[in-house]
Amino acid sequence: MSLSSSRAMAGTEAVTLESLRKKMADFARERDWEQFHSPRNLLLAMVGEVGELSEIFQWKGEVAKGLPDWGEEEKQHLGEELSDVLLYLVRLSDMCGVDLGKAALRKLDLNAAKYPVHLCKGSSGKHTDNPSGANENPKSGGGATEGL
């Protein structure tokens, strides 16, 4: 992936998970890095990047939506760390043979069934706190914060 093609893509084309997957595969292949991209290695690298992302927020306390009190340099750094996490996630899903887009849509559907609007609107409770036991499905994930 050349820098110029990345810049062109960012300015003119819609970014999709598939386009990122292809660019990451090309990037790794061009550098002969595929040998290092086992699922375990990618996961551990991604966790490291999540740590770097967490570090940005560590001493900030709660921040307002849109980060109005942040400078442009801080926002750019945040974007870089978010991108690192996204790119590792896309590469990990590719190396695991998981269609990340389809998996995410399926998860949204599962969460919609687990957290019906009429029972959950405005609540941060777990699905097991819902008055209807019909929403309990231990195989589909954990609490409300996991659903996002």
Side-chain angles (χ1 to χ4, degrees):
M1 168 173 64
S2 70
L3 187 57
S4 61
S5 68
S6 294
R7 285 186 181 146
M9 180 181 188
T12 60
E13 298 177 31
V15 178
T16 65
L17 291 175
E18 180 59 19
S19 66
L20 291 174
R21 186 198 67 73
K22 287 179 180 176
K23 285 198 165 291
M24 287 297 294
D26 291 345
F27 187 88
R29 189 173 29 262
E30 289 167 358
R31 289 157 181 78
D32 194 26
W33 286 356
E34 292 171 312
Q35 61 185 319
F36 308 116
H37 286 189
S38 68
R40 178 184 175 276
N41 287 351
L42 291 167
L43 174 64
L44 293 175
M46 184 177 69
V47 168
E49 295 298 339
V50 170
E52 291 181 27
L53 180 59
S54 299
E55 185 179 21
I56 294 172
F57 287 93
Q58 183 175 8
W59 305 113
K60 296 263 187 203
E62 290 300 323
V63 297
K65 183 178 179 179
L67 311 176
D69 299 329
W70 290 35
E72 284 308 308
E73 193 172 297
E74 286 179 299
K75 287 183 181 181
Q76 183 175 353
H77 181 221
L78 175 62
E80 290 168 1
E81 297 305 333
L82 287 166
S83 297
D84 285 340
V85 173
L86 173 63
L87 293 172
Y88 273 118
L89 180 61
V90 168
R91 184 68 174 155
L92 175 61
S93 67
D94 188 26
M95 293 298 92
C96 291
V98 172
D99 182 323
L100 188 56
K102 286 181 182 176
L105 290 174
R106 180 178 182 277
K107 184 63 175 175
L108 284 171
D109 287 343
L110 289 170
N111 287 344
K114 189 193 299 184
Y115 302 102
V117 173
H118 71 282
L119 295 176
C120 299
K121 190 169 186 175
S123 170
S124 64
K126 292 183 66 158
H127 69 94
T128 54
D129 296 336
N130 292 342
S132 169
N135 295 322
E136 295 183 26
N137 182 354
K139 291 191 175 195
S140 61
T145 55
E146 180 181 312
L148 296 179

